[in-house]
Amino acid sequence: MAKLQLALDGDLQGSLEVLEKAHPHVDIIEIGTPLVFREGMRAVRAIRAAYPGLRLLADLKIMDAGEAEADIAFGAGADMITVLGLSGDETIQGALASAEKHAGQVMIDMMAVTDLVARAAELMGLGCDLLCLHTAHDQQSRRGSPWRQLAQLREAYPPLSLAIAGGLSLEVLTQILPHHPQIVVVGSAITAAADPGLAARLIHEGIRQYGDA
Amino acid sequence: MAKLQLALDGDLQGSLEVLEKAHPHVDIIEIGTPLVFREGMRAVRAIRAAYPGLRLLADLKIMDAGEAEADIAFGAGADMITVLGLSGDETIQGALASAEKHAGQVMIDMMAVTDLVARAAELMGLGCDLLCLHTAHDQQSRRGSPWRQLAQLREAYPPLSLAIAGGLSLEVLTQILPHHPQIVVVGSAITAAADPGLAARLIHEGIRQYGDA
């Protein structure tokens, strides 16, 4: 059954308020890139302290200095970090080495990768086992959400763990879940909802019902 | 004459200690990506407060949400931010819109861009006027430093403002300066020097002597 990852892109106080309502329905908490930029690892430490039992992903979108930058987030208490699939193989390898040291996990963000299937093969060859199909926020109106990419990679590499992100909401679950993503990333459909707890619960139940069907 | 940009990639305390010695010889202070990850905008605000007269660049390497992420750094007091040249045109445009609101400047990091001259033309068409030729830290042993790329872009677009970054030191100035970069970015050759003040002074003087020659 897919896990629900809640992406927090606001400020720390607002994110903690959203979490207070949404956390029972969330599997992975994402410290989004804007929150990392605002607060640095203080955001990771604060959310780690408040929710010691939940998985924490720091969305660093690492592009260089893979090992050193991954070390920063794992050292602060993150369980998972992101690296851009566009980055060089040495950067990917550095991040994987850091993950191994810290018993952490690397998610590769495939944003703007053009030849998805070929790059996925290279990344699997390097030892990556979790890729995220991610439609850039700035391109969501133009490109729509990336479930076609999800279908394409799921078909090419059935055992690969896949996450999907970018403008996702309750309405699109029926288009996503048939392709068996391991992680569904939702941001503003929860954080900007009138009732973030209810929104998270409905999405989580939607995922569970599909898994039970 | 080229400006000297000092890239600070360590922790905040160590960076402030380096700046205390090096600042008289520095034109632009770079809050490096690892320092942003560690401290968030606290690093920008602390260095802004300590050196109100120096230009500050936040090396965010923005890949998405261009306007919102640039707003975070300009709002915290940065004069300049970086965006990846690999990012989508909407992201570049968003960052440029943020820069215009804040009277700030956008530096495009050309790291991992394959067709440099073609992408530079597109970026200039979007309104970018400052590009950084940047050899990834993780690829420096393999690729060497990027002065050939600097020469190539300088020849293609003589009026474009160019920065050069990635493993630069006093020894390579003579290979870089003939191609008239507007900004020379130096990190560990100053921050890891036995005497960071002396290292910064020698590099700054090297640049000045070339400019006067």
Side-chain angles (χ1 to χ4, degrees):
Chain A
M1 201 162 62
K3 290 189 180 341
L4 175 57
Q5 175 173 319
L6 172 61
L8 300 168
D9 289 328
D11 61 22
L12 182 55
Q13 187 53 39
S15 298
L16 287 167
E17 287 165 16
V18 165
L19 278 176
E20 209 174 300
K21 294 168 186 154
H23 76 91
H25 315 292
V26 167
D27 302 298
I28 301 168
I29 302 173
E30 172 189 325
I31 321 291
T33 313
L35 183 49
V36 171
F37 286 167
R38 283 190 190 92
E39 297 287 347
M41 291 303 109
R42 186 172 159 249
V44 172
R45 288 188 295 265
I47 294 175
R48 173 84 296 156
Y51 299 98
L54 279 174
R55 283 183 77 71
L56 267 195
L57 177 141
D59 187 20
L60 303 184
K61 293 190 179 73
I62 291 174
M63 181 64 197
D64 190 18
E67 183 160 7
E69 293 188 358
D71 278 351
I72 292 170
F74 288 131
D79 302 295
M80 306 164 74
I81 55 114
T82 61
V83 180
L84 289 176
L86 289 169
S87 72
D89 290 352
E90 299 88 344
T91 301
I92 306 275
Q93 287 165 320
L96 289 170
S98 172
E100 201 174 322
K101 274 189 297 186
H102 294 89
Q105 192 176 15
V106 173
M107 178 188 283
I108 306 293
D109 186 326
M110 300 297 278
M111 187 183 284
V113 170
T114 45
D115 192 342
L116 211 55
V117 172
R119 184 62 178 148
E122 291 171 358
L123 292 165
M124 291 163 71
L126 294 172
C128 300
D129 57 7
L130 175 58
L131 272 47
C132 181
L133 288 318
H134 188 176
T135 303
H137 173 273
D138 288 338
Q139 302 194 334
Q140 279 165 27
S141 57
R142 184 155 65 83
R143 292 210 180 168
S145 280
W147 47 85
R148 279 169 208 84
Q149 296 191 338
L150 175 66
Q152 189 188 7
L153 268 196
R154 172 58 68 224
E155 192 181 344
Y157 308 113
L160 191 59
S161 285
L162 295 172
I164 180 163
L168 303 186
S169 63
L170 187 58
E171 287 66 37
V172 300
L173 283 184
T174 53
Q175 289 169 281
I176 291 168
L177 294 174
H179 307 297
H180 305 290
Q182 273 67 28
I183 298 173
V184 175
V185 184
V186 178
S188 61
I190 294 173
T191 60
D195 184 340
L198 178 63
R201 183 166 68 80
L202 291 176
I203 293 173
H204 210 206
E205 280 176 2
I207 292 172
R208 190 178 308 133
Q209 280 162 20
Y210 191 90
D212 293 341
Chain B
M1 199 161 65
K3 291 190 181 340
L4 176 57
Q5 175 174 320
L6 172 60
L8 299 168
D9 290 327
D11 62 21
L12 182 55
Q13 188 52 40
S15 297
L16 287 167
E17 287 165 15
V18 165
L19 277 175
E20 208 175 302
K21 295 169 186 153
H23 76 90
H25 315 292
V26 167
D27 302 299
I28 301 169
I29 302 173
E30 173 189 325
I31 320 295
T33 312
L35 184 48
V36 170
F37 286 167
R38 284 191 189 91
E39 297 287 347
M41 291 303 109
R42 184 170 162 250
V44 172
R45 288 188 294 265
I47 294 175
R48 172 85 297 155
Y51 300 97
L54 277 175
R55 282 184 78 70
L56 268 197
L57 176 141
D59 187 20
L60 302 185
K61 295 190 178 72
I62 291 174
M63 182 64 195
D64 190 18
E67 183 159 7
E69 294 189 356
D71 279 351
I72 292 171
F74 288 133
D79 303 296
M80 305 164 75
I81 55 114
T82 60
V83 180
L84 289 177
L86 288 170
S87 71
D89 290 353
E90 298 87 345
T91 301
I92 307 276
Q93 286 166 322
L96 289 170
S98 172
E100 200 175 322
K101 274 188 296 187
H102 294 89
Q105 193 176 15
V106 173
M107 178 189 282
I108 305 293
D109 186 324
M110 300 297 278
M111 188 183 283
V113 170
T114 45
D115 191 343
L116 212 57
V117 172
R119 184 63 179 148
E122 291 171 359
L123 291 165
M124 291 162 72
L126 294 173
C128 300
D129 57 7
L130 175 58
L131 270 49
C132 181
L133 288 318
H134 189 177
T135 302
H137 173 272
D138 287 337
Q139 303 194 335
Q140 279 165 28
S141 56
R142 184 156 65 85
R143 292 212 179 166
S145 280
W147 47 86
R148 282 169 206 84
Q149 295 191 338
L150 175 68
Q152 189 187 4
L153 269 196
R154 172 58 68 225
E155 193 181 341
Y157 308 113
L160 191 57
S161 284
L162 294 172
I164 180 163
L168 303 185
S169 64
L170 188 59
E171 287 65 38
V172 300
L173 283 184
T174 52
Q175 288 168 281
I176 290 168
L177 294 173
H179 306 296
H180 306 291
Q182 273 69 27
I183 298 174
V184 175
V185 184
V186 179
S188 61
I190 293 173
T191 59
D195 183 339
L198 179 62
R201 184 166 69 80
L202 292 176
I203 293 172
H204 211 205
E205 280 176 2
I207 292 171
R208 190 177 307 133
Q209 281 162 18
Y210 191 92
D212 293 343

